Amino acid sequence: MQNPESPKYQQQRLAAIRAAATVFAHKGYHGASTGDIAEAMGIKQGSLYYYFKSKEEALAEVCLYGISDYVQRMEEIAASRQPFEARLLATVTSHLSSYREKNEALKVHNDERLYLPELKRRKLKKMGSRYRELLEGIFEDAVRDGAIRPNLDCHFAAQSVIGICNAWGDLIVRDAELDVFEVIRKCTDLLLNGLVDHDHDRAG
Amino acid sequence: MQNPESPKYQQQRLAAIRAAATVFAHKGYHGASTGDIAEAMGIKQGSLYYYFKSKEEALAEVCLYGISDYVQRMEEIAASRQPFEARLLATVTSHLSSYREKNEALKVHNDERLYLPELKRRKLKKMGSRYRELLEGIFEDAVRDGAIRPNLDCHFAAQSVIGICNAWGDLIVRDAELDVFEVIRKCTDLLLNGLVDHDHDRAG
DNA sequence: CGCGTATTCTATAGGTGTATAGAAAAATTA
DNA sequence: TAATTTTTCTATACACCTATAGAATACGCG
């Protein structure tokens, strides 16, 4: 390849990243071999190094692929001037849809990124922090607007939303039968209203 | 050792399980070597095989150690005739305290048990299912008693509670500064009441 | 102390996995 | 078709890791 970084090369490299994502998601970074990834692409082990200079670079690419547009979408949600409930729904939808669409790359980012060396982890960490801060900002707006409880710990709430989405994301990745939109609806409802029957106090 | 399965042997074996739990939690099962575990115990790599017949057996023991009394405690919570909110609080407390007390073994169970062979996984799976069923039962009771919303999907709710506890458990394992009891309180509150300011509707 | 047992050590066989080099094949261009 | 470039293959060096065997040390007890 060398000069043009041809479209075909880029396309094949993307296929390699996707294959690596699937393999890493199922076997873990250390549990997966470069041969496994190559096999998933239909090439031989040695040929993989035409696309990655090391196994670690493959992991880094998968993680970056997993989190990048996911943060971008949160930028858009945070910037939008929708009411709180719509933004929360959009957040959960974005997060869980990522799991379904991105071929497990986000799962790999969450589970395996800590095996990357400090330097490569920094960029990812910055993106993750950015994501959390944007989500916190949404909660802070909502507290100001009176949409949610005034005593809410926004940092805690943001972590919890991310945590619950990741947990359900794992289940979605593992169980293809799950209806993603039903999960999205129930997650959002649970986060907003909790388990207690508040309506009952008023209407019942 | 051979005959007596002496107390000293059992004690050292427990130390080995704990060491393995710490190492597996930090490096992952495949990323950790038997040498790493041995080093954490202050013995040499080969000596580890005095306590485990294989690395895989070490993982199995750690997973079992991680989940066993955790299920037992849930049996007690489920059998207790406390009101729903107290049982939920007890559930979250039990779960998150496990993370702090059990030296990462529960985390290893959650993250690495799928690397065990089918046979060994079955026992663990049964325990995990038992846990989830007990928790679902608590929700079903609460629905009957009117303590929580009548339309609640109890299976979904149980999975969500487990998921959010695991997410916070991870953070607790990684960040020793976190106040576990504050996390417990906020988790329970969020699960019960959600984010919305329901009191505001009533009390003005 | 001296004996038997329990525990740890050293050394190593054998397997697996990463990364590289150079040849071969496929694709592209002239 | 011939020449050039891109892509894949084969083969292998090298490192690491698991598990075992047998020697060495520490321990408990008469």
Side-chain angles (χ1 to χ4, degrees), chain A residues 52-81:
Chain A
F52 303 115
K53 79 176 207 306
S54 67
K55 182 183 175 186
E56 183 189 291
E57 183 183 285
L59 176 61
E61 291 296 311
V62 170
C63 289
L64 194 62
Y65 178 73
I67 200 176
S68 55
D69 75 344
Y70 163 77
V71 176
Q72 177 54 38
R73 263 181 288 166
M74 182 49 94
E75 295 276 359
E76 288 160 19
I77 294 168
S80 78
R81 283 289 145 215

Side-chain angles (χ1 to χ4, degrees), chain A residues 38-56:
Chain A
E39 190 180 359
M41 295 179 66
I43 63 177
K44 301 288 176 174
Q45 184 263 337
S47 307
L48 193 69
Y49 287 78
Y50 186 64
Y51 297 105
F52 303 115
K53 79 176 207 306
S54 67
K55 182 183 175 186
E56 183 189 291

